[in-house]
Amino acid sequence: MKTVLIIECLLLLLATPAHAMHISEGILPFGWAAVWFAVAAPFVAMGVRRMNDLSKDDLSVKPLVGLMAAVVFIISCMPIPVPSAGTCSHPCGTGISAILVGPFVSVVISAVALLIQALFLAHGGLSTLGANIVSMGVVGSCAGWLVFRGLRAMGANLAVAGFAAGIVADWGTYLATSAELTAGIRGSEPFWPLFSKIFVAFIPTQLPLGILEGAMTAGMVVLLHRKRPDLLVKMRVIPAGTGDRRPATGAVALLLAVFLGGLLLTPHLSRAAEKWSGVDETVVEKVAKEHGREAREPLINTDRGDLLLFVFLLAGATGGFAAGYWWRALVAEKRDRRGDDAG
Amino acid sequence: MHQIVNPIPNTHFLAGVDPRVKLVSALALLVLVMSSRGGAFPLTVAGLSLGLCLWMGVPPRLFFVRFAEPIFIAAMVIVLKLLFSGHEALFAFSCFGLEIVGHRDGLAAGVAIASRIAGAVSVVAAVGFATPFTDLMAALSWLRVPRGFIEVALFAWRYLFVLFDDAQVVYAAQKNRLGYAGLRRGLRSFGTLAGALVIKAFDNSQTVTTAMVQRGYDGTLPLLRHRPLRAGEVAGSVALVAVMGLLWRM
């Protein structure tokens, strides 16, 4: 840990522009790059499908999504100073796009912005496009959107909800990026120690940057509400004919405390997991052994290399695809039926 | 921005090559680079791609600007792997009472990743310099990337420069009024700038849709039509990938 702190101090001395949010071209081995593409693909497909559905009713949807992608591109190219790290970094902008157009279309926006950045600015990359879409598009957008909608439902005003959404979208992106980077470069090393080092190495830039992005997102939402409330109504961010709500500072503080607590506890929990064996070993295996049933090799041993991780990812991707494919059947059609019954 | 994304006139020898051939060759090289274990193959690809870019007339300064970020990240990866990965000690020194140890195998792994970054970035840079964006999108469409995605990318590309110019005007006006003097004012100004961009994007999308509908837009954009693939170009691409594949095996 002390060595990490020394490295951290050395990093602080490197006062250069930091574009650490995207994983650079070529940094992931082929297997991991393919896995992240597989994970990102269903989300992009769902986003395109959602956009096409919306576009049937309103022809301006595709141009709007394209222009929002250009805005996200420009925002994520703008350097903002991070005083504590002595560097410049950039916000990711997915928080605001998720708030305005929803998480799935925001994934498409992120994918387009990332593709242009990869091709023409060497920012991110083609081979790491899947991983960057997952971290910035999927995790950033979904986290930001959920926090914004959750806080609005709890009665928070636009500024507070926008601030929290911006912070969580940024930090969620950075957390996912750390995990992807660790998985890609760790080789035969264990996951958690390297993850915690990369996580700590990101902190000087990304911790204040998340707060700055939160402030920026809040500023944007408030400006839109003041100057063009019709936009927010059209995007279904606020219902028509209603004003802003009173702040729910306690709820925001609680949410942030839970999130920060989770971040701080993660390394300790992982260490605890190493120290304490699970219920399978301490209870099931013990009882089975007492009754003369020794443990034998499993038919399919998933404890080999990254196989278990890959299986989890595959299950997540399949589940995500299935949920997205039958989303309308699960949610929208039921809502329509309920509406018909009420009518 | 305009100089970075449109750096060279489209008169070089690769301009006439079908964008599908360029894209598929680049993707094949990318897969080879990413799946290589050592550093020699990616560095060979990087050298070839850099030579190709210089041959196309890409200014070296632009090249360094584009490589600044990947170089920084590659350096960070080398430092991380050197100090935190591996078992065989290369050097050790004491700093403020702390023992810092560099590992030989960690350094080798870090250099391998850094060379992979160099190779992959060079290949993508070469394709980016050699092919206009609209051609690349048409090639992606040929590769069955969803049409909705391609259309959004084309809209984004078309209005990127318009919005970027707008952003520059607003930024200059804010800066002249000391909008970025101090962190608090800077943040407020940045939020206003980003919000103004969203408003402009929304207004532009409405205007563009109206103009396009009057010209027959029905929700789908026409894409560039490809001419038939030339046998010579395809054979050249296959030969290039085959030679690189042989090098990769070595």
PDB file of all heavy atoms in Angstrom, chain B residues 94-130:
ATOM      1  N   SER B  94      15.647   2.168  -2.067  1.00  0.00           N
ATOM      2  CA  SER B  94      14.865   2.637  -0.929  1.00  0.00           C
ATOM      3  C   SER B  94      14.526   4.105  -1.143  1.00  0.00           C
ATOM      4  O   SER B  94      15.374   4.906  -1.531  1.00  0.00           O
ATOM      5  CB  SER B  94      15.692   2.449   0.335  1.00  0.00           C
ATOM      6  OG  SER B  94      14.916   2.760   1.443  1.00  0.00           O
ATOM      7  N   CYS B  95      13.253   4.448  -0.918  1.00  0.00           N
ATOM      8  CA  CYS B  95      12.808   5.833  -1.112  1.00  0.00           C
ATOM      9  C   CYS B  95      11.992   6.227   0.112  1.00  0.00           C
ATOM     10  O   CYS B  95      10.930   5.641   0.348  1.00  0.00           O
ATOM     11  CB  CYS B  95      11.982   5.913  -2.397  1.00  0.00           C
ATOM     12  SG  CYS B  95      11.352   7.554  -2.732  1.00  0.00           S
ATOM     13  N   PHE B  96      12.472   7.166   0.895  1.00  0.00           N
ATOM     14  CA  PHE B  96      11.820   7.591   2.136  1.00  0.00           C
ATOM     15  C   PHE B  96      11.527   6.380   3.039  1.00  0.00           C
ATOM     16  O   PHE B  96      10.446   6.277   3.625  1.00  0.00           O
ATOM     17  CB  PHE B  96      10.515   8.353   1.857  1.00  0.00           C
ATOM     18  CG  PHE B  96      10.712   9.580   1.006  1.00  0.00           C
ATOM     19  CD1 PHE B  96      10.212   9.622  -0.279  1.00  0.00           C
ATOM     20  CD2 PHE B  96      11.404  10.675   1.498  1.00  0.00           C
ATOM     21  CE1 PHE B  96      10.382  10.741  -1.069  1.00  0.00           C
ATOM     22  CE2 PHE B  96      11.589  11.805   0.706  1.00  0.00           C
ATOM     23  CZ  PHE B  96      11.078  11.826  -0.572  1.00  0.00           C
ATOM     24  N   GLY B  97      12.467   5.460   3.070  1.00  0.00           N
ATOM     25  CA  GLY B  97      12.303   4.298   3.936  1.00  0.00           C
ATOM     26  C   GLY B  97      11.460   3.181   3.345  1.00  0.00           C
ATOM     27  O   GLY B  97      11.216   2.174   3.992  1.00  0.00           O
ATOM     28  N   LEU B  98      10.982   3.388   2.104  1.00  0.00           N
ATOM     29  CA  LEU B  98      10.154   2.337   1.476  1.00  0.00           C
ATOM     30  C   LEU B  98      10.963   1.610   0.416  1.00  0.00           C
ATOM     31  O   LEU B  98      11.740   2.237  -0.305  1.00  0.00           O
ATOM     32  CB  LEU B  98       8.916   2.954   0.824  1.00  0.00           C
ATOM     33  CG  LEU B  98       7.938   3.632   1.760  1.00  0.00           C
ATOM     34  CD1 LEU B  98       6.905   4.407   0.983  1.00  0.00           C
ATOM     35  CD2 LEU B  98       7.264   2.583   2.630  1.00  0.00           C
ATOM     36  N   GLU B  99      10.750   0.327   0.345  1.00  0.00           N
ATOM     37  CA  GLU B  99      11.498  -0.493  -0.611  1.00  0.00           C
ATOM     38  C   GLU B  99      10.733  -0.540  -1.938  1.00  0.00           C
ATOM     39  O   GLU B  99       9.584  -0.994  -1.990  1.00  0.00           O
ATOM     40  CB  GLU B  99      11.657  -1.906  -0.029  1.00  0.00           C
ATOM     41  CG  GLU B  99      12.680  -2.763  -0.723  1.00  0.00           C
ATOM     42  CD  GLU B  99      14.122  -2.318  -0.484  1.00  0.00           C
ATOM     43  OE1 GLU B  99      14.364  -1.514   0.444  1.00  0.00           O
ATOM     44  OE2 GLU B  99      14.983  -2.778  -1.239  1.00  0.00           O
ATOM     45  N   ILE B 100      11.345   0.003  -3.008  1.00  0.00           N
ATOM     46  CA  ILE B 100      10.706  -0.046  -4.337  1.00  0.00           C
ATOM     47  C   ILE B 100      11.434  -1.117  -5.152  1.00  0.00           C
ATOM     48  O   ILE B 100      12.655  -1.067  -5.291  1.00  0.00           O
ATOM     49  CB  ILE B 100      10.848   1.308  -5.075  1.00  0.00           C
ATOM     50  CG1 ILE B 100      10.352   2.453  -4.197  1.00  0.00           C
ATOM     51  CG2 ILE B 100      10.160   1.264  -6.434  1.00  0.00           C
ATOM     52  CD1 ILE B 100       8.918   2.737  -4.231  1.00  0.00           C
ATOM     53  N   VAL B 101      10.685  -2.068  -5.656  1.00  0.00           N
ATOM     54  CA  VAL B 101      11.292  -3.167  -6.424  1.00  0.00           C
ATOM     55  C   VAL B 101      10.689  -3.198  -7.830  1.00  0.00           C
ATOM     56  O   VAL B 101       9.464  -3.185  -7.997  1.00  0.00           O
ATOM     57  CB  VAL B 101      11.040  -4.526  -5.731  1.00  0.00           C
ATOM     58  CG1 VAL B 101      11.723  -5.651  -6.505  1.00  0.00           C
ATOM     59  CG2 VAL B 101      11.526  -4.505  -4.299  1.00  0.00           C
ATOM     60  N   GLY B 102      11.583  -3.210  -8.828  1.00  0.00           N
ATOM     61  CA  GLY B 102      11.127  -3.396 -10.211  1.00  0.00           C
ATOM     62  C   GLY B 102      11.353  -4.839 -10.616  1.00  0.00           C
ATOM     63  O   GLY B 102      12.316  -5.467 -10.174  1.00  0.00           O
ATOM     64  N   HIS B 103      10.432  -5.393 -11.420  1.00  0.00           N
ATOM     65  CA  HIS B 103      10.528  -6.810 -11.787  1.00  0.00           C
ATOM     66  C   HIS B 103      10.816  -6.951 -13.275  1.00  0.00           C
ATOM     67  O   HIS B 103      10.178  -6.283 -14.100  1.00  0.00           O
ATOM     68  CB  HIS B 103       9.234  -7.540 -11.432  1.00  0.00           C
ATOM     69  CG  HIS B 103       8.856  -7.404  -9.992  1.00  0.00           C
ATOM     70  ND1 HIS B 103       7.968  -6.449  -9.541  1.00  0.00           N
ATOM     71  CD2 HIS B 103       9.279  -8.089  -8.894  1.00  0.00           C
ATOM     72  CE1 HIS B 103       7.843  -6.561  -8.226  1.00  0.00           C
ATOM     73  NE2 HIS B 103       8.632  -7.539  -7.809  1.00  0.00           N
ATOM     74  N   ARG B 104      11.730  -7.861 -13.587  1.00  0.00           N
ATOM     75  CA  ARG B 104      12.129  -8.086 -14.982  1.00  0.00           C
ATOM     76  C   ARG B 104      10.954  -8.627 -15.810  1.00  0.00           C
ATOM     77  O   ARG B 104      10.662  -8.115 -16.888  1.00  0.00           O
ATOM     78  CB  ARG B 104      13.292  -9.084 -15.025  1.00  0.00           C
ATOM     79  CG  ARG B 104      13.961  -9.204 -16.388  1.00  0.00           C
ATOM     80  CD  ARG B 104      15.012 -10.293 -16.360  1.00  0.00           C
ATOM     81  NE  ARG B 104      16.068 -10.036 -15.387  1.00  0.00           N
ATOM     82  CZ  ARG B 104      17.123  -9.249 -15.603  1.00  0.00           C
ATOM     83  NH1 ARG B 104      17.262  -8.663 -16.782  1.00  0.00           N
ATOM     84  NH2 ARG B 104      18.031  -9.056 -14.685  1.00  0.00           N
ATOM     85  N   ASP B 105      10.260  -9.649 -15.262  1.00  0.00           N
ATOM     86  CA  ASP B 105       9.137 -10.223 -16.024  1.00  0.00           C
ATOM     87  C   ASP B 105       7.977  -9.236 -16.138  1.00  0.00           C
ATOM     88  O   ASP B 105       7.272  -9.206 -17.148  1.00  0.00           O
ATOM     89  CB  ASP B 105       8.668 -11.556 -15.417  1.00  0.00           C
ATOM     90  CG  ASP B 105       8.687 -11.560 -13.905  1.00  0.00           C
ATOM     91  OD1 ASP B 105       9.211 -10.592 -13.330  1.00  0.00           O
ATOM     92  OD2 ASP B 105       8.157 -12.500 -13.295  1.00  0.00           O
ATOM     93  N   GLY B 106       7.797  -8.410 -15.088  1.00  0.00           N
ATOM     94  CA  GLY B 106       6.762  -7.371 -15.157  1.00  0.00           C
ATOM     95  C   GLY B 106       7.079  -6.369 -16.254  1.00  0.00           C
ATOM     96  O   GLY B 106       6.199  -5.957 -17.019  1.00  0.00           O
ATOM     97  N   LEU B 107       8.367  -5.989 -16.335  1.00  0.00           N
ATOM     98  CA  LEU B 107       8.785  -5.030 -17.378  1.00  0.00           C
ATOM     99  C   LEU B 107       8.540  -5.621 -18.769  1.00  0.00           C
ATOM    100  O   LEU B 107       8.021  -4.932 -19.664  1.00  0.00           O
ATOM    101  CB  LEU B 107      10.259  -4.692 -17.197  1.00  0.00           C
ATOM    102  CG  LEU B 107      10.859  -3.761 -18.241  1.00  0.00           C
ATOM    103  CD1 LEU B 107      10.223  -2.375 -18.155  1.00  0.00           C
ATOM    104  CD2 LEU B 107      12.373  -3.634 -18.070  1.00  0.00           C
ATOM    105  N   ALA B 108       8.876  -6.916 -18.925  1.00  0.00           N
ATOM    106  CA  ALA B 108       8.669  -7.562 -20.237  1.00  0.00           C
ATOM    107  C   ALA B 108       7.190  -7.562 -20.614  1.00  0.00           C
ATOM    108  O   ALA B 108       6.815  -7.243 -21.757  1.00  0.00           O
ATOM    109  CB  ALA B 108       9.200  -8.994 -20.200  1.00  0.00           C
ATOM    110  N   ALA B 109       6.331  -7.872 -19.610  1.00  0.00           N
ATOM    111  CA  ALA B 109       4.881  -7.884 -19.888  1.00  0.00           C
ATOM    112  C   ALA B 109       4.400  -6.478 -20.231  1.00  0.00           C
ATOM    113  O   ALA B 109       3.590  -6.287 -21.150  1.00  0.00           O
ATOM    114  CB  ALA B 109       4.128  -8.420 -18.681  1.00  0.00           C
ATOM    115  N   GLY B 110       4.906  -5.471 -19.504  1.00  0.00           N
ATOM    116  CA  GLY B 110       4.514  -4.078 -19.760  1.00  0.00           C
ATOM    117  C   GLY B 110       4.935  -3.627 -21.149  1.00  0.00           C
ATOM    118  O   GLY B 110       4.164  -2.968 -21.868  1.00  0.00           O
ATOM    119  N   VAL B 111       6.160  -3.988 -21.534  1.00  0.00           N
ATOM    120  CA  VAL B 111       6.650  -3.601 -22.873  1.00  0.00           C
ATOM    121  C   VAL B 111       5.822  -4.283 -23.961  1.00  0.00           C
ATOM    122  O   VAL B 111       5.509  -3.672 -24.995  1.00  0.00           O
ATOM    123  CB  VAL B 111       8.155  -3.942 -23.009  1.00  0.00           C
ATOM    124  CG1 VAL B 111       8.625  -3.803 -24.439  1.00  0.00           C
ATOM    125  CG2 VAL B 111       8.980  -3.032 -22.105  1.00  0.00           C
ATOM    126  N   ALA B 112       5.422  -5.540 -23.707  1.00  0.00           N
ATOM    127  CA  ALA B 112       4.593  -6.249 -24.697  1.00  0.00           C
ATOM    128  C   ALA B 112       3.264  -5.532 -24.885  1.00  0.00           C
ATOM    129  O   ALA B 112       2.802  -5.324 -26.017  1.00  0.00           O
ATOM    130  CB  ALA B 112       4.359  -7.689 -24.243  1.00  0.00           C
ATOM    131  N   ILE B 113       2.653  -5.108 -23.770  1.00  0.00           N
ATOM    132  CA  ILE B 113       1.366  -4.390 -23.884  1.00  0.00           C
ATOM    133  C   ILE B 113       1.573  -3.040 -24.578  1.00  0.00           C
ATOM    134  O   ILE B 113       0.793  -2.640 -25.447  1.00  0.00           O
ATOM    135  CB  ILE B 113       0.738  -4.191 -22.482  1.00  0.00           C
ATOM    136  CG1 ILE B 113       0.371  -5.540 -21.878  1.00  0.00           C
ATOM    137  CG2 ILE B 113      -0.508  -3.317 -22.571  1.00  0.00           C
ATOM    138  CD1 ILE B 113      -0.130  -5.477 -20.450  1.00  0.00           C
ATOM    139  N   ALA B 114       2.662  -2.344 -24.207  1.00  0.00           N
ATOM    140  CA  ALA B 114       2.932  -1.033 -24.812  1.00  0.00           C
ATOM    141  C   ALA B 114       3.152  -1.158 -26.319  1.00  0.00           C
ATOM    142  O   ALA B 114       2.678  -0.317 -27.101  1.00  0.00           O
ATOM    143  CB  ALA B 114       4.155  -0.405 -24.150  1.00  0.00           C
ATOM    144  N   SER B 115       3.841  -2.210 -26.727  1.00  0.00           N
ATOM    145  CA  SER B 115       4.064  -2.380 -28.169  1.00  0.00           C
ATOM    146  C   SER B 115       2.761  -2.725 -28.881  1.00  0.00           C
ATOM    147  O   SER B 115       2.528  -2.314 -30.014  1.00  0.00           O
ATOM    148  CB  SER B 115       5.128  -3.455 -28.431  1.00  0.00           C
ATOM    149  OG  SER B 115       4.715  -4.668 -27.886  1.00  0.00           O
ATOM    150  N   ARG B 116       1.877  -3.459 -28.177  1.00  0.00           N
ATOM    151  CA  ARG B 116       0.555  -3.751 -28.750  1.00  0.00           C
ATOM    152  C   ARG B 116      -0.229  -2.448 -28.938  1.00  0.00           C
ATOM    153  O   ARG B 116      -0.895  -2.259 -29.949  1.00  0.00           O
ATOM    154  CB  ARG B 116      -0.201  -4.666 -27.787  1.00  0.00           C
ATOM    155  CG  ARG B 116      -0.891  -5.811 -28.475  1.00  0.00           C
ATOM    156  CD  ARG B 116      -1.285  -6.897 -27.519  1.00  0.00           C
ATOM    157  NE  ARG B 116      -2.054  -6.438 -26.385  1.00  0.00           N
ATOM    158  CZ  ARG B 116      -2.114  -7.080 -25.228  1.00  0.00           C
ATOM    159  NH1 ARG B 116      -1.441  -8.189 -25.059  1.00  0.00           N
ATOM    160  NH2 ARG B 116      -2.828  -6.631 -24.223  1.00  0.00           N
ATOM    161  N   ILE B 117      -0.119  -1.557 -27.966  1.00  0.00           N
ATOM    162  CA  ILE B 117      -0.801  -0.257 -28.081  1.00  0.00           C
ATOM    163  C   ILE B 117      -0.254   0.480 -29.301  1.00  0.00           C
ATOM    164  O   ILE B 117      -1.021   1.006 -30.124  1.00  0.00           O
ATOM    165  CB  ILE B 117      -0.588   0.590 -26.795  1.00  0.00           C
ATOM    166  CG1 ILE B 117      -1.308  -0.059 -25.618  1.00  0.00           C
ATOM    167  CG2 ILE B 117      -1.083   2.015 -26.998  1.00  0.00           C
ATOM    168  CD1 ILE B 117      -1.046   0.625 -24.288  1.00  0.00           C
ATOM    169  N   ALA B 118       1.085   0.519 -29.425  1.00  0.00           N
ATOM    170  CA  ALA B 118       1.707   1.249 -30.547  1.00  0.00           C
ATOM    171  C   ALA B 118       1.241   0.675 -31.889  1.00  0.00           C
ATOM    172  O   ALA B 118       0.866   1.423 -32.802  1.00  0.00           O
ATOM    173  CB  ALA B 118       3.225   1.174 -30.440  1.00  0.00           C
ATOM    174  N   GLY B 119       1.249  -0.669 -32.002  1.00  0.00           N
ATOM    175  CA  GLY B 119       0.851  -1.300 -33.256  1.00  0.00           C
ATOM    176  C   GLY B 119      -0.597  -1.020 -33.602  1.00  0.00           C
ATOM    177  O   GLY B 119      -0.927  -0.614 -34.723  1.00  0.00           O
ATOM    178  N   ALA B 120      -1.493  -1.191 -32.615  1.00  0.00           N
ATOM    179  CA  ALA B 120      -2.925  -1.017 -32.882  1.00  0.00           C
ATOM    180  C   ALA B 120      -3.261   0.439 -33.205  1.00  0.00           C
ATOM    181  O   ALA B 120      -4.008   0.716 -34.149  1.00  0.00           O
ATOM    182  CB  ALA B 120      -3.723  -1.495 -31.677  1.00  0.00           C
ATOM    183  N   VAL B 121      -2.687   1.362 -32.433  1.00  0.00           N
ATOM    184  CA  VAL B 121      -2.972   2.792 -32.685  1.00  0.00           C
ATOM    185  C   VAL B 121      -2.475   3.185 -34.074  1.00  0.00           C
ATOM    186  O   VAL B 121      -3.163   3.926 -34.800  1.00  0.00           O
ATOM    187  CB  VAL B 121      -2.314   3.667 -31.590  1.00  0.00           C
ATOM    188  CG1 VAL B 121      -2.378   5.144 -31.960  1.00  0.00           C
ATOM    189  CG2 VAL B 121      -2.991   3.455 -30.262  1.00  0.00           C
ATOM    190  N   SER B 122      -1.312   2.688 -34.479  1.00  0.00           N
ATOM    191  CA  SER B 122      -0.755   3.050 -35.791  1.00  0.00           C
ATOM    192  C   SER B 122      -1.662   2.549 -36.919  1.00  0.00           C
ATOM    193  O   SER B 122      -1.909   3.276 -37.886  1.00  0.00           O
ATOM    194  CB  SER B 122       0.625   2.439 -35.979  1.00  0.00           C
ATOM    195  OG  SER B 122       1.388   2.655 -34.864  1.00  0.00           O
ATOM    196  N   VAL B 123      -2.167   1.309 -36.778  1.00  0.00           N
ATOM    197  CA  VAL B 123      -3.036   0.766 -37.831  1.00  0.00           C
ATOM    198  C   VAL B 123      -4.298   1.614 -37.968  1.00  0.00           C
ATOM    199  O   VAL B 123      -4.692   2.014 -39.070  1.00  0.00           O
ATOM    200  CB  VAL B 123      -3.416  -0.705 -37.502  1.00  0.00           C
ATOM    201  CG1 VAL B 123      -4.523  -1.190 -38.413  1.00  0.00           C
ATOM    202  CG2 VAL B 123      -2.220  -1.595 -37.640  1.00  0.00           C
ATOM    203  N   VAL B 124      -4.936   1.909 -36.812  1.00  0.00           N
ATOM    204  CA  VAL B 124      -6.181   2.689 -36.867  1.00  0.00           C
ATOM    205  C   VAL B 124      -5.905   4.098 -37.380  1.00  0.00           C
ATOM    206  O   VAL B 124      -6.691   4.660 -38.158  1.00  0.00           O
ATOM    207  CB  VAL B 124      -6.855   2.711 -35.473  1.00  0.00           C
ATOM    208  CG1 VAL B 124      -8.079   3.606 -35.474  1.00  0.00           C
ATOM    209  CG2 VAL B 124      -7.262   1.304 -35.074  1.00  0.00           C
ATOM    210  N   ALA B 125      -4.771   4.672 -36.969  1.00  0.00           N
ATOM    211  CA  ALA B 125      -4.426   6.017 -37.451  1.00  0.00           C
ATOM    212  C   ALA B 125      -4.253   5.999 -38.968  1.00  0.00           C
ATOM    213  O   ALA B 125      -4.739   6.905 -39.664  1.00  0.00           O
ATOM    214  CB  ALA B 125      -3.148   6.496 -36.772  1.00  0.00           C
ATOM    215  N   ALA B 126      -3.592   4.975 -39.481  1.00  0.00           N
ATOM    216  CA  ALA B 126      -3.372   4.896 -40.933  1.00  0.00           C
ATOM    217  C   ALA B 126      -4.706   4.829 -41.681  1.00  0.00           C
ATOM    218  O   ALA B 126      -4.902   5.524 -42.683  1.00  0.00           O
ATOM    219  CB  ALA B 126      -2.509   3.675 -41.262  1.00  0.00           C
ATOM    220  N   VAL B 127      -5.642   4.015 -41.164  1.00  0.00           N
ATOM    221  CA  VAL B 127      -6.963   3.930 -41.814  1.00  0.00           C
ATOM    222  C   VAL B 127      -7.691   5.265 -41.708  1.00  0.00           C
ATOM    223  O   VAL B 127      -8.317   5.737 -42.675  1.00  0.00           O
ATOM    224  CB  VAL B 127      -7.825   2.827 -41.154  1.00  0.00           C
ATOM    225  CG1 VAL B 127      -9.210   2.788 -41.750  1.00  0.00           C
ATOM    226  CG2 VAL B 127      -7.177   1.504 -41.344  1.00  0.00           C
ATOM    227  N   GLY B 128      -7.618   5.881 -40.534  1.00  0.00           N
ATOM    228  CA  GLY B 128      -8.287   7.174 -40.333  1.00  0.00           C
ATOM    229  C   GLY B 128      -7.752   8.249 -41.263  1.00  0.00           C
ATOM    230  O   GLY B 128      -8.511   9.049 -41.807  1.00  0.00           O
ATOM    231  N   PHE B 129      -6.433   8.264 -41.446  1.00  0.00           N
ATOM    232  CA  PHE B 129      -5.839   9.268 -42.337  1.00  0.00           C
ATOM    233  C   PHE B 129      -6.163   8.976 -43.800  1.00  0.00           C
ATOM    234  O   PHE B 129      -6.291   9.882 -44.608  1.00  0.00           O
ATOM    235  CB  PHE B 129      -4.312   9.300 -42.167  1.00  0.00           C
ATOM    236  CG  PHE B 129      -3.857   9.994 -40.908  1.00  0.00           C
ATOM    237  CD1 PHE B 129      -2.970   9.383 -40.048  1.00  0.00           C
ATOM    238  CD2 PHE B 129      -4.314  11.270 -40.600  1.00  0.00           C
ATOM    239  CE1 PHE B 129      -2.540  10.018 -38.888  1.00  0.00           C
ATOM    240  CE2 PHE B 129      -3.894  11.912 -39.440  1.00  0.00           C
ATOM    241  CZ  PHE B 129      -3.010  11.285 -38.592  1.00  0.00           C
ATOM    242  N   ALA B 130      -6.281   7.678 -44.139  1.00  0.00           N
ATOM    243  CA  ALA B 130      -6.396   7.299 -45.554  1.00  0.00           C
ATOM    244  C   ALA B 130      -7.824   7.314 -46.080  1.00  0.00           C
ATOM    245  O   ALA B 130      -8.027   7.302 -47.289  1.00  0.00           O
ATOM    246  CB  ALA B 130      -5.814   5.895 -45.747  1.00  0.00           C
TER     247      ALA B 130
END
